Amino acid sequence: MDPTGPGGEANGDLRVGSLEVRLAANSDELEWAQALRYRVFYTEMLARPTPEMLARGLDFDDFDALCDHLLVIDHARGGGPASVVGTYRLIRRPAAERAGRFYSSDEYDVSPVAGYPGQVLELGRSCVDAAYRNGSTMQLLWKGIASYVFHHDIAIMFGCASLPGTDPQALARPLSYLHHYHLAPPDLRPVALPDRYVSMNLMPKDEVQVKRALVDLPPLIKGYLRLGGFVGEGAVIDHQFNTTDVCVMVKTDLITDKYSKHYERRNQRSQTV
């Protein structure tokens, strides 16, 4: 893993104040990300750890060693685990092939996306330290993802995104909104596995109050929708994480176009100095 920016830039291009976004450079930094994931998912959100996770205070699985990990680091916190305040796990097709599957395939038939002719990227394990859930941190994470997408020529991003709670009826409005307004085209649509499928069509379209539904959606899902994102068919209850999951996918045209223009402007400025 390259300790420069996610697309190979100098680190200074992806810093705001004491915050920097880059890929984890070694196994120690991966553990720092896993420690943050544990604090957010298991301590704060009350997910259910395995005995080994509980003993180590880390969230981990077999995918972690095969993929890239985007980190937001606060240098004001010095080094060590406390310095990692945000993270995203990035799984490209080669890593999924080594694992034998994409992570989301435990919940969805993702073959329409996995078989897409362009490069694909699965996003997951996104979390930010409670003290850093603000625009600056999220903007850095998105800049890091944009850089990575641009560098690896990613055509589609996808992954499971979560709504809090495991009662679909309590989430009827946001789930129905996603189903009626943002369902992916059939040729690109993941479908929840039959034994995990929960209908998202819980309210008629004309009864869905769009503004209230948008308020109900987590910021991460709204961010994907602002980029033109779609959702798969059916939700999945994740009892370990106390969430209801939807499969989200984004064609990266908007991201790569915006980043390309930024990259061109930066190169023009450097050439005039």
Side-chain angles (χ1 to χ4, degrees):
M1 298 182 196
D2 190 343
T4 59
E9 311 90 336
N11 286 338
D13 194 53
L14 292 169
R15 291 188 68 153
V16 175
S18 62
L19 298 180
E20 173 193 4
V21 64
R22 62 171 173 81
L23 297 180
N26 50 52
S27 58
D28 287 340
E29 293 187 351
L30 169 55
E31 282 205 0
W32 301 350
Q34 292 169 330
L36 172 64
R37 283 159 34 181
Y38 188 91
R39 293 197 303 273
V40 173
F41 298 144
Y42 298 94
T43 303
E44 180 183 345
M45 298 174 61
L46 303 179
R48 300 169 185 172
T50 65
E52 189 178 0
M53 289 178 182
L54 180 63
R56 298 176 61 189
L58 302 175
D59 169 62
F60 58 88
D61 63 21
D62 293 341
F63 285 89
D64 280 338
L66 303 174
C67 56
D68 288 332
H69 299 267
L70 195 64
L71 309 179
V72 176
I73 297 170
D74 185 354
H75 293 280
R77 287 190 169 196
S83 65
V84 175
V85 299
T87 186
Y88 238 119
R89 186 165 73 180
L90 312 174
I91 303 178
R92 289 184 289 129
R93 190 179 278 127
E97 288 172 350
R98 291 195 296 274
R101 60 187 175 87
F102 281 103
Y103 176 81
S104 301
S105 63
D106 279 353
E107 298 187 356
Y108 286 85
D109 175 4
V110 299
S111 55
V113 181
Y116 193 78
Q119 298 296 321
V120 299
L121 173 67
E122 183 178 31
L123 302 174
R125 287 300 200 271
S126 168
C127 63
V128 174
D129 183 277
Y132 290 79
R133 288 173 196 160
N134 53 51
S136 296
T137 309
M138 290 309 301
Q139 186 179 40
L140 266 182
L141 273 174
W142 279 108
K143 282 184 177 179
I145 291 170
S147 169
Y148 192 90
V149 162
F150 181 75
H151 181 71
H152 292 286
D153 195 24
I154 303 296
I156 290 182
M157 305 186 307
F158 76 102
C160 290
S162 301
L163 291 84
T166 58
D167 179 3
Q169 290 302 322
L171 299 168
R173 184 167 53 219
L175 290 176
S176 298
Y177 166 76
L178 291 172
H179 174 82
H180 290 305
Y181 289 93
H182 296 284
L183 200 60
D187 62 341
L188 197 61
R189 186 184 303 167
V191 179
L193 299 178
D195 61 335
R196 306 198 69 178
Y197 185 102
V198 174
S199 176
M200 296 168 64
N201 187 12
L202 302 173
M203 298 172 61
K205 185 174 182 178
D206 59 4
E207 292 183 13
V208 176
Q209 297 170 288
V210 171
K211 289 184 179 179
R212 293 187 64 184
L214 286 168
V215 170
D216 294 339
L217 286 173
L220 183 62
I221 295 179
K222 283 190 281 194
Y224 291 136
L225 297 182
R226 281 194 291 269
L227 292 170
F230 304 108
V231 298
E233 181 180 343
V236 172
I237 306 301
D238 187 335
H239 291 286
Q240 180 187 3
F241 282 87
N242 294 316
T243 59
T244 298
D245 295 346
V246 295
C247 190
V248 181
M249 66 224 67
V250 178
K251 290 186 176 181
T252 62
D253 311 53
L254 290 176
I255 299 172
T256 52
D257 182 59
K258 182 177 180 181
Y259 189 80
S260 178
K261 290 176 180 175
H262 159 75
Y263 192 77
E264 289 171 4
R265 286 195 302 269
R266 185 165 62 87
N267 281 347
Q268 288 169 358
R269 286 198 302 270
S270 68
Q271 290 168 7
T272 58
V273 174

